[in-house]
Amino acid sequence: MGFQDIEIEKFRGIRTLNIADFKQVNLIAGCNNSGKSSILEAIFMLTGLANPDLSIRVNNFRDYSVRDSEDLSLIFYNLETSNPIIFKGTLELNEEKRKLAITPIFSNSINVNKVENVENELSQLSSFNIPKNSMTGLNLDFSLKEKEKPAINNTSKLIIEGERTFKAVRANNYNEKARAIYINSKPVFNSVVERVDRIITNKQDEEIVDVLKNIEPKITKISVSANKIVKVDIGLASLIPINVMGDGIKKLLTILTAIYDVKGGILLIDEIDNGLHYSTMKALWKAIIIAARKFEVQIFATTHNIETLKYLKELIKEEIQDFSNNVRHYTLMKLISGEMKSYKYDFERFEYALEQGIEIR
């Protein structure tokens, strides 16, 4: 289940942006502060459009802890909370049209002791002081429309209860079918340990080992110790902690376990090449494409590294030509007017640009 297109309005530094014709592997490039990470965050939020917690998590991805309404306003374009954030997108499965509108909730009184019944969605809140007309939460109004089915319209809410305390009020009678995992530029390895544990429990670790061999052929087994350390067997007298095998194998395991965990869904990878030596990128791309095909996962990845692009091009041209139609590259550019444009490259144009030294980062 992947996206065909997305529209973004008034989100972070993006006033408006439309991107279409997504494929299984989608690369997003551009200069610093061009909005690459914001696109991944928008896709993530649209995939879980009924989940109010995602409005907080997208700031956490940037190593920033959300404490209050001022922090919540960071997701609005130019901090202008008067303008709603709008996300729209089409999922391939049943050509489902999705729309999410995020608007602030403002207080009308100075002291708020409780919130009375609001459409049967909000319960008692802790007593706390809120300045008059300040933001006390977010409304997430969403809609979905599949072919030949009635539209679904509903609302979720995120309510501020105090500093660093939020109440998520999810829409009733809605179960999300789409799934997405976001890997930021500095992923926490603890989540990988949990995923490896699940994979081993489900007796599917051989599939992960087979893909890991693309970077380290000596690996024959993967396990999790009693003290929650991921170890691998490379034919030595004892198992080796994967942490000592280098960033390349750790990054690959992070990505592979996420692909496994989100089977049939979407994986968003910010700065895919962060911390990796360029010489490992071809093997990394091969492992990612093999796993994405196997588990039917759509990949979105940001980069501004020319070597990352060149190694992907070489891999497809030399080893997996049949995958060329499943790759798209998008270069972001901010116009003088402030609008954002994306320039799409199919594999043929992508290859030509790299061979001619045309700047597409």
Side-chain angles (χ1 to χ4, degrees):
M1 179 184 289
F3 276 100
Q4 295 177 337
D5 53 56
I6 190 169
E7 298 178 33
I8 303 170
E9 294 181 26
K10 307 295 174 57
F11 178 59
R12 295 211 191 271
I14 300 175
R15 189 168 75 180
T16 59
L17 178 64
N18 299 336
I19 307 181
D21 196 31
F22 289 137
K23 296 297 181 181
Q24 187 167 16
V25 172
N26 304 279
L27 279 168
I28 301 171
C31 62
N32 291 335
N33 301 315
S34 62
K36 300 188 295 295
S37 300
S38 298
I39 293 171
L40 299 191
E41 292 167 349
I43 295 170
F44 184 67
M45 294 175 74
L46 192 56
T47 307
L49 77 180
N51 185 353
D53 290 328
L54 303 190
S55 302
I56 297 174
R57 289 180 63 188
V58 292
N59 279 331
N60 293 343
F61 290 152
R62 299 183 182 225
D63 293 327
Y64 188 81
S65 177
V66 176
R67 298 159 302 189
D68 49 33
S69 62
E70 186 175 334
D71 293 331
L72 280 183
S73 68
L74 294 172
I75 64 174
F76 288 85
Y77 177 71
N78 284 348
L79 306 181
E80 296 171 356
T81 55
S82 58
N83 295 316
I85 297 168
I86 305 290
F87 301 135
K88 298 178 184 178
T90 307
L91 283 172
E92 292 173 341
L93 186 65
N94 300 323
E95 294 186 11
E96 180 186 88
K97 302 287 185 181
R98 293 184 161 221
K99 180 179 179 181
L100 172 62
I102 303 175
T103 54
I105 302 170
F106 289 103
S107 64
N108 292 316
S109 60
I110 295 177
N111 184 35
V112 178
N113 293 313
K114 64 180 180 178
V115 175
E116 296 294 341
N117 184 27
V118 182
E119 300 175 357
N120 297 318
E121 291 180 345
L122 301 180
S123 60
Q124 299 284 336
L125 299 181
S126 304
S127 176
F128 67 104
N129 292 322
I130 304 176
K132 191 173 183 180
N133 296 324
S134 69
M135 187 164 63
T136 60
L138 298 173
N139 274 322
L140 287 81
D141 298 304
F142 63 92
S143 64
L144 302 92
K145 179 68 176 76
E146 292 184 21
K147 269 188 173 181
E148 301 176 0
K149 286 187 178 181
I152 295 173
N153 297 282
N154 216 323
T155 300
S156 293
K157 298 176 186 290
L158 183 71
I159 305 298
I160 302 171
E161 292 191 315
E163 186 173 352
R164 300 181 187 274
T165 307
F166 302 87
K167 179 182 178 67
V169 184
R170 299 200 184 204
N172 293 326
N173 304 317
Y174 176 72
N175 294 314
E176 184 59 77
K177 297 177 183 177
R179 297 188 63 220
I181 290 177
Y182 189 110
I183 299 175
N184 68 11
S185 59
K186 299 175 183 177
V188 178
F189 202 65
N190 289 345
S191 60
V192 178
V193 177
E194 295 170 4
R195 289 172 187 153
V196 172
D197 222 354
R198 281 197 297 272
I199 291 167
I200 293 171
T201 299
N202 293 330
K203 297 183 177 181
Q204 294 180 309
D205 45 300
E206 288 184 7
E207 296 176 329
I208 299 298
V209 169
D210 285 344
V211 184
L212 285 175
K213 286 180 177 178
N214 285 284
I215 283 187
E216 179 46 77
K218 293 180 181 179
I219 294 177
T220 59
K221 183 181 178 181
I222 188 168
S223 64
V224 178
S225 67
N227 54 347
K228 299 299 180 183
I229 296 176
V230 178
K231 295 186 176 184
V232 290
D233 186 346
I234 58 172
L236 301 179
S238 60
L239 302 181
I240 301 296
I242 202 162
N243 300 61
V244 304
M245 296 191 65
D247 290 337
I249 201 75
K250 279 181 62 181
K251 182 80 172 237
L252 178 56
L253 186 61
T254 300
I255 294 171
L256 287 182
T257 54
I259 291 174
Y260 173 87
D261 231 22
V262 77
K263 285 185 228 180
I266 298 164
L267 179 60
L268 305 145
I269 312 169
D270 197 16
E271 296 186 23
I272 189 169
D273 38 43
N274 187 49
L276 297 179
H277 192 268
Y278 70 89
S279 62
T280 66
M281 286 310 303
K282 190 171 182 179
L284 180 67
W285 274 124
K286 184 174 182 179
I288 289 172
I289 291 173
I290 289 171
R293 275 178 152 178
K294 184 178 184 65
F295 298 116
E296 298 181 342
V297 172
Q298 185 180 36
I299 306 287
F300 291 88
T302 68
T303 183
H304 47 71
N305 189 322
I306 193 65
E307 300 295 338
T308 299
L309 305 179
K310 287 180 177 179
Y311 277 116
L312 176 60
K313 185 260 294 184
E314 286 182 16
L315 172 68
I316 293 175
K317 189 174 180 181
E318 296 170 6
E319 299 186 42
I320 46 175
Q321 295 92 339
D322 62 326
F323 196 76
S324 61
N325 290 331
N326 295 319
V327 174
R328 287 290 181 271
H329 174 90
Y330 300 88
T331 301
L332 301 182
M333 192 169 293
K334 190 170 286 188
L335 305 181
I336 297 175
S337 63
E339 291 188 26
M340 194 82 74
K341 286 277 291 181
S342 71
Y343 296 88
K344 181 184 75 174
Y345 295 79
D346 59 18
F347 185 74
E348 184 177 348
R349 292 184 64 216
F350 175 66
E351 179 184 10
Y352 178 80
L354 290 174
E355 290 180 350
Q356 297 301 314
I358 299 171
E359 182 57 74
I360 59 172
R361 293 175 296 167

